[in-house]
Amino acid sequence: ALQGAKQLVLEYGCKQILGIGGTTADSQLPFLTQAKVFYSPLVVSDINPNRPYVLAGSDVNSRGEMIRPAYMRTAYPDKTRYAIVAQEEASAFAGQAWEVGAAKALGYEMVYDSFYSPETTDFAPVITAVLATKPDIVSIGLSWPDFIPLLMEQLYLQGFEGVVAANYIEHDAVLQRVPAEWLAKVRAIDSYQ
């Protein structure tokens, strides 16, 4: 994230960067503040008095996280057991709280609500724990884009056949790890599609 911010500012002269926020913002903001470059994250949790160049008018992620369970309730009314997992990180904490709250308000049984370390490289134990709760829906919430193909691969390898959802799914990367038929079967619902 920091390398990308430096390239945008030093090579391309960017004066404002739009980002997701959270941990990526934490890595970029000292440099961006020193360079007097504005940063606009999707989460308001990055705003504080020590970050004078952070601009955020609304928390877009909270809307997406609340809409996902509502969509599921309408599209798949027979699905009642909801699991969610993402990395331990500020924006994931906030997004997951919104999603869990919305799911509970809609009457879902929350069977799994946890986080994995950002240093995780083996996602088999993570998904084993999720699937041990027998969910109908697995949300990989605000998992970072590089983790999503690995999580999806484990869901496939471990035989999950319910519904999979996430804040953002880069299907080309996922299709390098799972068959298209499986991806279609689990619906692979992306908040931005």
Side-chain angles (χ1 to χ4, degrees):
L2 177 57
Q3 181 181 355
K6 285 182 177 182
Q7 183 177 9
L8 289 171
V9 172
L10 300 174
E11 289 183 34
Y12 299 103
C14 289
K15 299 295 181 195
Q16 181 173 8
I17 293 178
L18 309 177
I20 293 173
T23 302
T24 56
D26 293 342
S27 69
Q28 297 169 326
L29 284 171
F31 166 75
L32 294 175
T33 301
Q34 182 180 12
K36 297 184 178 180
V37 172
F38 290 106
Y39 181 78
S40 298
L42 293 176
V43 294
V44 295
S45 55
D46 288 319
I47 297 173
N48 76 52
N50 297 323
R51 295 176 167 180
Y53 290 92
V54 174
L55 304 172
S58 67
D59 201 336
V60 174
N61 281 343
S62 60
R63 291 184 207 140
E65 303 342 296
M66 289 188 297
I67 290 169
R68 192 165 31 260
Y71 171 78
M72 301 287 197
R73 176 55 74 208
T74 302
Y76 309 105
D78 60 319
K79 308 295 184 195
T80 61
R81 297 174 58 81
Y82 205 103
I84 183 167
V85 66
Q87 71 282 336
E88 297 170 330
E89 181 268 331
S91 61
F93 292 153
Q96 195 151 318
W98 283 104
E99 187 168 352
V100 168
K104 286 181 178 180
L106 290 163
Y108 282 106
E109 178 185 357
M110 289 304 305
V111 296
Y112 193 87
D113 173 14
S114 192
F115 298 91
Y116 53 83
S117 168
E119 286 80 33
T120 300
T121 56
D122 179 5
F123 288 91
V126 173
I127 295 302
T128 298
V130 171
L131 296 184
T133 65
K134 305 207 181 317
D136 298 317
I137 297 169
V138 173
S139 174
I140 47 182
L142 284 174
S143 289
W144 288 332
D146 289 349
F147 291 160
I148 290 175
L150 304 171
L151 290 158
M152 299 282 273
E153 179 180 40
Q154 283 303 314
L155 286 164
Y156 165 70
L157 291 173
Q158 295 186 38
F160 184 68
E161 295 185 352
V163 177
V164 177
N167 188 59
Y168 177 77
I169 299 171
E170 190 175 318
H171 287 86
D172 290 342
V174 172
L175 286 169
Q176 293 177 22
R177 296 186 170 272
V178 304
E181 298 79 25
W182 178 82
L183 200 57
K185 185 176 187 176
V186 299
R187 286 58 140 214
I189 297 165
D190 176 329
S191 292
Y192 294 101
Q193 285 186 330

